[in-house]
């Protein structure tokens, strides 16, 4: 059986990445859409051969529970709308994929996790890199200590934001925050799978070079994580500087991905002179198939809700460290049961 996926929010990520990827998946397919823009209905219906009864808007969305051809609802809306629509999806009895960042607060992550547990549906976060073969290789180097112990990790995630200053990503009410919410979650993720550990503390700093443009949200943030074994990670995230890199410095060498988290192909090399090379497939197709296999075959959920919540705990600690100028303890992350 192939699972039917309905995309909620037909903006650029749904249009240019998720819908085309769903033509390339083995265990799921694009079965439905949920949109607030009437004109998009017929365009998508025609392009992807979507039956009329599988087209919903934000008002009649809750009746999707009666539609047996939809198994998974993928929420691809501005960050502050993730919680509401994930919870409505869970109440409709559908499995949920929630885009990153999972929500705009830890409390909202908890509400999503609780709703999915209560309604006995599966939940994952749209962390496409968790399904990418380069990520799996990095995790293997860390686990098998191919280059010895990882002692220092450096990771960057950013781009130069231009255009309409009223876009939702620069509006805190809709985005929950700036670069850290949008791109910072990649640097948090690489810091964690680059060391194979959850951090035990973080110190962070915020910088701004274009305050007139970034009036409501953070532009550039740096943060340093400490790990239980003494390892350290330094991350940079920005809406005003390009960054797309992970470098792991180890006791017997190094390995790096550069680019580390764009749509691919990713590129990697090691201190042995090896160049990493894996066949390219859309990460989003791999990600949605991995989640479908989790539902159908009970394989591992590579990006469970608890992982999104863990990263949101770190995001909140980073903002607190910036506000208060100190080091934030993160000692209870291990309780969530998520390692990398
Ligand atoms: P977008 O601006 O292109 O699309 C947003 C969609 O939400 C549009 O269809 C818009 O009509 C709809 N919408 C509903 N209410 C809105 C409101 N009040 N304001 C603005 N738009 C509203 O954004 P996007 O790039 O598609 O991002 C959507 C989500 O996907 C975000 O959470 C983002 O972080 C995530 N995303 C993830 C990746 C990834 O690689 N995993 C990449 C891009 C975006």
């Amino acid at each position: 059986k192939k699972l039917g996926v309905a995309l909620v929010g037909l903006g650029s990520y749904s249009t240019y990445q998720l819908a085309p990827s769903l033509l390339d998946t083995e265990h799921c397919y694009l079965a439905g859409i949920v949109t607030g823009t009437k004109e998009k209905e017929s365009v998508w219906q025609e392009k992807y051969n979507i039956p009329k009864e599988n087209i919903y808007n934000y008002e009649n969305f809750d009746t999707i529970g009666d539609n047996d051809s939809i198994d998974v609802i993928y929420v691809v809306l501005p960050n502050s709308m993730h919680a509401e629509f994930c919870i409505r999806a869970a109440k409709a009895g559908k499995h949920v994929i929630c885009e990153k960042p999972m929500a705009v607060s830890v409390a909202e992550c908890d509400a999503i996790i609780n709703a999915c547990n209560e309604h006995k549906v599966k939940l994952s976060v749209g962390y496409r890199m968790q399904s990418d073969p380069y990520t799996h290789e990095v995790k293997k180097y860390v686990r098998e200590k191919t280059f010895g112990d990882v002692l220092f990790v450096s990771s960057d995630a950013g781009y130069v934001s231009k255009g309409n200053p009223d876009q939702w990503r620069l509006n805190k009410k809709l985005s929950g925050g700036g670069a850290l919410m949008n791109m910072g979650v990649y640097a948090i993720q690489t810091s964690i799978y680059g060391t194979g550990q959850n951090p035990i503390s973080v110190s962070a700093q915020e910088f701004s070079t274009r305050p007139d443009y970034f009036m409501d949200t953070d532009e550039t943030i740096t943060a340093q994580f400490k790990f239980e074994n003494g390892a350290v990670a330094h991350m940079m995230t920005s809406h005003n500087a390009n960054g797309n890199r992970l470098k792991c410095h180890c006791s017997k060498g190094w390995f790096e991905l550069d680019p580390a988290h764009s749509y691919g192909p990713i590129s990697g090399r090691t201190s042995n002179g090896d160049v990493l090379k894996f066949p390219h497939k859309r990460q989003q197709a791999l990600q949605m198939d991995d989640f479908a296999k989790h539902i159908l075959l009970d394989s591992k959920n590579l990006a469970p809700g608890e992982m999104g919540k863990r990263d949101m705990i770190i995001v909140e600690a980073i903002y607190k460290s910036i506000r208060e100028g100190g080091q934030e303890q993160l000692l209870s992350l291990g309780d969530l049961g998520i390692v990398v």
Side-chain angles (χ1 to χ4, degrees):
K1 174 181 155 74
K2 270 191 164 195
L3 298 179
V5 177
L7 296 175
V8 185
L10 308 179
S12 65
Y13 195 55
S14 285
T15 304
Y16 301 112
Q17 300 301 329
L18 296 176
S21 297
L22 281 161
L23 297 172
D24 206 16
T25 36
E26 288 170 38
H27 302 281
C28 53
Y29 72 104
L30 181 58
I33 50 172
V34 184
T35 176
T37 313
K38 189 89 191 132
E39 304 81 70
K40 289 183 185 166
E41 293 184 4
S42 56
V43 176
W44 279 68
Q45 182 178 5
E46 217 167 282
K47 184 161 186 192
Y48 292 103
N49 204 13
I50 296 170
K52 204 165 173 26
E53 62 273 18
N54 291 2
I55 298 178
Y56 293 85
N57 56 47
Y58 300 143
E59 286 72 43
N60 66 13
F61 171 59
D62 306 279
T63 63
I64 206 164
D66 303 328
N67 189 333
D68 288 341
S69 54
I70 310 286
D71 303 287
V72 176
I73 289 175
Y74 196 152
V75 177
V76 203
L77 290 163
N79 308 339
S80 68
M81 299 171 76
H82 291 181
E84 178 195 334
F85 279 83
C86 288
I87 291 167
R88 285 169 73 179
K91 282 187 177 156
K94 304 299 182 186
H95 303 295
V96 180
I97 310 178
C98 175
E99 249 320 313
K100 52 63 47 184
M102 184 170 167
V104 297
S105 67
V106 176
E108 283 190 355
C109 295
D110 276 329
I112 298 173
I113 292 170
N114 291 342
C116 290
N117 286 339
E118 187 186 334
H119 295 280
K120 300 190 169 42
V121 295
K122 310 270 194 189
L123 167 65
S124 82
V125 181
Y127 282 144
R128 56 187 164 76
M129 294 312 301
Q130 289 290 342
S131 292
D132 188 277
Y134 290 83
T135 305
H136 293 161
E137 190 71 0
V138 161
K139 288 185 181 183
K140 192 172 122 221
Y141 289 159
V142 174
R143 199 172 53 240
E144 297 181 357
K145 298 184 191 284
T146 315
F147 298 89
D149 291 314
V150 180
L151 302 174
F152 180 76
V153 169
S154 170
S155 65
D156 310 331
Y159 63 87
V160 180
S161 177
K162 293 183 189 137
N164 182 5
D166 294 328
Q167 59 186 286
W168 69 260
R169 280 191 173 83
L170 305 181
N171 174 336
K172 192 167 178 204
K173 228 174 145 213
L174 287 166
S175 61
L180 183 61
M181 281 282 178
N182 185 24
M183 300 304 289
V185 289
Y186 290 106
I188 291 171
Q189 285 253 310
T190 48
S191 298
I192 292 174
Y193 57 72
T195 54
Q197 302 170 69
N198 288 312
I200 55 169
S201 69
V202 64
S203 304
Q205 307 80 33
E206 181 179 358
F207 306 91
S208 181
T209 51
R210 281 165 69 203
D212 294 346
Y213 184 73
F214 299 104
M215 302 233 275
D216 199 28
T217 55
D218 44 283
E219 174 201 302
T220 300
I221 285 178
T222 52
Q224 303 77 41
F225 298 110
K226 280 190 193 162
F227 298 87
E228 202 168 5
N229 70 342
V232 174
H234 174 78
M235 63 161 266
M236 184 284 289
T237 187
S238 181
H239 270 163
N240 199 36
N242 292 312
N244 192 346
R245 201 175 62 93
L246 165 66
K247 184 156 186 172
C248 298
H249 304 257
C250 314
S251 52
K252 294 191 217 149
W254 54 264
F255 51 94
E256 69 175 355
L257 300 180
D258 183 358
H261 43 70
S262 38
Y263 298 146
I266 300 303
S267 177
R269 56 207 69 78
T270 77
S271 53
N272 288 346
D274 293 340
V275 175
L276 307 189
K277 200 94 201 131
F278 295 99
H280 182 56
K281 181 158 179 173
R282 280 178 182 270
Q283 294 153 349
Q284 294 84 356
L286 297 170
Q287 170 212 327
M288 290 186 278
D289 266 344
D290 279 338
F291 187 52
K293 281 188 273 183
H294 170 61
I295 295 166
L296 293 167
L297 308 168
D298 206 23
S299 62
K300 188 176 174 194
N301 186 349
L302 298 183
E306 287 75 10
M307 182 184 273
K309 174 181 166 177
R310 174 201 62 192
D311 297 348
M312 196 52 54
I313 292 172
I314 296 173
V315 163
E316 287 192 352
I318 288 174
Y319 282 132
K320 185 157 182 253
S321 167
I322 290 167
R323 267 194 323 272
E324 298 182 1
Q327 177 174 287
E328 292 301 316
Q329 303 301 316
L330 291 165
L331 294 169
S332 60
L333 289 183
D335 299 349
L336 292 165
I338 302 293
V339 181
V340 283

